[in-house]
């Protein structure tokens, strides 16, 4: 019996050590709650210069995108089949994204603005409009779907910072929502006023009987490891998802051992504390977010492109997987564009980015 108690003691002690950052986060602002203004990357943090975005304007220029084909695609071994739209209604979890992607291209080539009412969906037509309702408070808003993602189990849509703020879950990070397809969106034009007019913060949304009217169009030096793509093998995740294994999985396994019996108060006190933490829906949210944040950091130079059209094509392909920086560089007396993948979307692995680089025939990628 003494050996069993000692074993439980050490397991409980290990659990308390692992929970320490969670308790600290619960006492402060927590990870991921600082809002849209924090930059995702900095020279101080990473020791390298951060290439500029397409724009640093608070409200990037509208338009410039394309209609994305409704063909299946695969991320992390999961195949997503885009839908035509009419009749689509889904309920699930919504997350949000802001400064990390602000000023960078979306999956269809538009420029993401954290202060616009936009969204990323793994399956809805792009571009299109969808009504998103927060099932926890009844608020709803019409958003422009112009990006792909998120790619995590249970999440059905990623809203912009502003849309999440309006729906009242920005500080929480996520919410249970209903997503309802409304109709196709025009490629160009500023639909901001129309989308803001759609905000409903008082009553639940009822689908309109008439089709939405479209608005008028307004005038307006680094070192890294070169990657041999021929040695990658087949496409798919090379390492397990941080949210289904690894350190977090080990903690979940600690939560799952048998209910305590009579014995040492110290051991069972720790077990009871762990069980209490595990039963609180948001107790581990900050820690899970921090694990996910670390897993999604990347710096993959995709190459330097002399043809602007080719640069945009490559940037939009990779925008399905993460944030792509575009930097203008001089090659002799000519200007070219350096593309760098700087952050992965939720659920995307490095192997997905490397597999896409191989698919596109990019021979000069460098992983920093």
């Amino acid at each position: 019996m003494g050996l069993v108690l000692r074993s439980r003691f050490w397991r409980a002690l290990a659990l308390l050590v692992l929970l320490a950052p969670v308790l600290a986060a619960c006492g402060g602002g927590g990870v991921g709650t600082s809002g849209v203004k924090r930059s995702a990357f900095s020279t101080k943090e990473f020791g390298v210069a951060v290439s500029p975005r397409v724009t640093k304007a608070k409200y990037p220029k509208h338009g410039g995108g394309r209609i994305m084909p409704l063909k299946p695609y695969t991320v992390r071994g999961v195949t997503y089949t885009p839908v035509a739209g009419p009749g689509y209604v889904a309920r699930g979890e919504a997350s949000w994204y802001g400064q990390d992607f602000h000023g960078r291209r979306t999956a269809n080539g538009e420029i993401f603005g954290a202060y616009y009412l936009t969204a990323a969906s793994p399956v809805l037509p792009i571009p299109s409009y969808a009504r998103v309702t927060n099932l926890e408070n009844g608020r709803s808003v019409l958003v422009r779907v112009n990006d792909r993602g998120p790619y995590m189990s249970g999440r059905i849509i990623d809203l912009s910072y502003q849309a999440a703020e309006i729906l009242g879950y920005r500080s929480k990070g996520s919410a249970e929502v209903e997503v309802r397809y409304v109709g196709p969106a025009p490629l160009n034009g500023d639909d901001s006023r129309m989308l803001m007019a759609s905000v409903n913060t008082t009553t639940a949304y009822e689908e309109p009987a008439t089709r939405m009217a479209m608005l008028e169009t307004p005038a307006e030096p680094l070192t890294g490891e070169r990657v041999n793509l021929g040695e990658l093998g087949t496409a798919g995740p090379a390492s397990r998802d941080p949210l289904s294994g690894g350190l977090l999985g080990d903690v979940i396994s600690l939560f799952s051992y048998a209910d305590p019996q009579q014995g040492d108060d110290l051991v069972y006190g720790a077990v009871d504390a762990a069980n209490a933490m595990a039963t609180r829906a948001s107790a581990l949210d900050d820690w899970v977010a921090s694990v996910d944040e670390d897993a999604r950091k990347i710096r993959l130079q995709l190459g330097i492109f002399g043809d602007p059209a080719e640069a945009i094509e490559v940037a939009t392909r990779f925008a399905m997987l993460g944030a792509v920086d575009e930097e203008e560089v001089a090659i002799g007396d000519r200007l070219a564009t350096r593309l760098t993948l700087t952050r992965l979307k939720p659920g995307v692995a490095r192997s997905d980015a490397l597999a896409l680089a191989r698919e596109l025939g990019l021979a000069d990628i460098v992983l920093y």
Side-chain angles (χ1 to χ4, degrees):
M1 178 62 73
L3 181 60
V4 173
L5 286 177
R6 283 196 298 272
S7 175
R8 286 178 174 172
F9 171 78
W10 288 114
R11 295 184 74 180
L13 181 60
L15 178 60
L16 290 176
V17 171
L18 289 172
L19 284 175
V22 180
L23 297 174
C26 290
V31 178
T33 61
S34 59
V36 73
K37 294 185 178 180
R38 182 192 180 278
S39 296
F41 305 97
S42 69
T43 302
K44 180 179 179 181
E45 287 178 301
F46 293 91
V48 295
V50 179
S51 58
R53 298 175 166 102
V54 176
T55 177
K56 294 183 180 180
K58 182 174 181 179
Y59 298 102
K61 181 181 178 181
H62 288 275
R66 58 175 180 147
I67 298 175
M68 294 193 67
L70 299 178
K71 63 180 183 180
Y73 64 97
T74 301
V75 175
R76 269 220 99 151
V78 178
T79 298
Y80 298 87
T81 303
V83 297
Y88 176 90
V89 180
R91 292 192 173 194
E93 187 179 19
S95 45
W96 65 269
Y97 62 135
Q99 184 72 5
D100 299 351
F101 289 81
H102 184 83
R104 296 174 170 90
R105 296 191 187 278
T106 66
N108 79 326
E110 296 181 27
I111 300 176
F112 173 70
Y115 296 96
Y116 291 142
L117 298 179
T118 63
S121 166
V123 296
L124 281 173
I126 293 181
S128 66
Y129 293 119
R131 169 71 66 168
V132 182
T133 302
N134 185 342
L135 298 176
E136 300 170 9
N137 59 20
R139 296 183 180 184
S140 71
V141 66
L142 200 66
V143 295
R144 178 184 179 88
V145 180
N146 63 0
D147 204 359
R148 285 286 180 235
Y151 302 113
M152 292 187 70
S153 177
R155 295 189 189 177
I156 60 174
I157 200 165
D158 234 358
L159 298 186
S160 67
Y161 168 90
Q162 188 65 37
E165 181 75 16
I166 287 174
L167 291 187
Y169 74 87
R170 191 270 304 167
S171 61
K172 290 177 53 181
S174 64
E176 289 298 312
V177 302
E178 178 186 271
V179 178
R180 184 181 297 268
Y181 175 79
V182 173
L187 280 179
N188 296 304
D190 186 349
D191 50 16
S192 299
R193 291 185 179 180
M194 179 266 291
L195 295 176
M196 283 301 298
S198 76
V199 175
N200 185 340
T201 60
T202 56
T203 59
Y205 167 72
E206 295 182 3
E207 187 175 9
T210 57
R211 186 187 178 101
M212 178 189 320
M214 303 305 178
L215 299 184
E216 287 186 9
T217 302
E220 339 186 71
L222 297 175
T223 59
E225 176 186 356
R226 190 168 297 278
V227 180
N228 184 349
L229 295 176
E231 298 176 355
L232 292 179
T234 58
S239 60
R240 52 185 183 164
D241 191 320
L243 298 184
S244 62
L247 179 61
L248 187 56
D250 295 339
V251 171
I252 293 173
S253 69
L254 283 173
F255 284 148
S256 65
Y257 57 77
D259 291 337
Q261 303 172 2
Q262 297 299 320
D264 191 288
D265 290 341
L266 175 61
V267 175
Y268 299 137
V271 172
D272 291 341
N275 288 336
M277 290 290 291
T279 57
R280 288 173 51 198
S282 61
L284 294 177
D285 285 353
D286 288 342
W287 191 28
V288 170
S290 68
V291 173
D292 186 39
E293 290 288 314
D294 289 340
R296 293 194 284 133
K297 295 174 183 176
I298 191 174
R299 190 163 184 78
L300 179 65
Q301 182 174 303
L302 304 175
I304 298 176
F305 302 86
D307 182 354
E310 182 183 11
I312 292 176
E313 175 64 22
V314 172
T316 53
R317 289 294 299 273
F318 275 92
M320 291 184 64
L321 304 182
V324 180
D325 279 343
E326 300 180 34
E327 181 183 10
E328 193 175 77
V329 295
I331 306 295
D333 58 350
R334 299 179 55 192
L335 292 177
T337 303
R338 175 190 287 130
L339 299 180
T340 306
L341 183 67
T342 59
R343 185 171 184 77
L344 300 174
K345 291 182 177 179
V348 177
R350 291 188 174 203
S351 57
D352 297 316
L354 297 177
L356 180 56
R358 181 181 57 186
E359 177 188 330
L360 297 179
L362 305 181
D364 297 324
I365 66 172
V366 180
L367 182 63
Y368 295 102

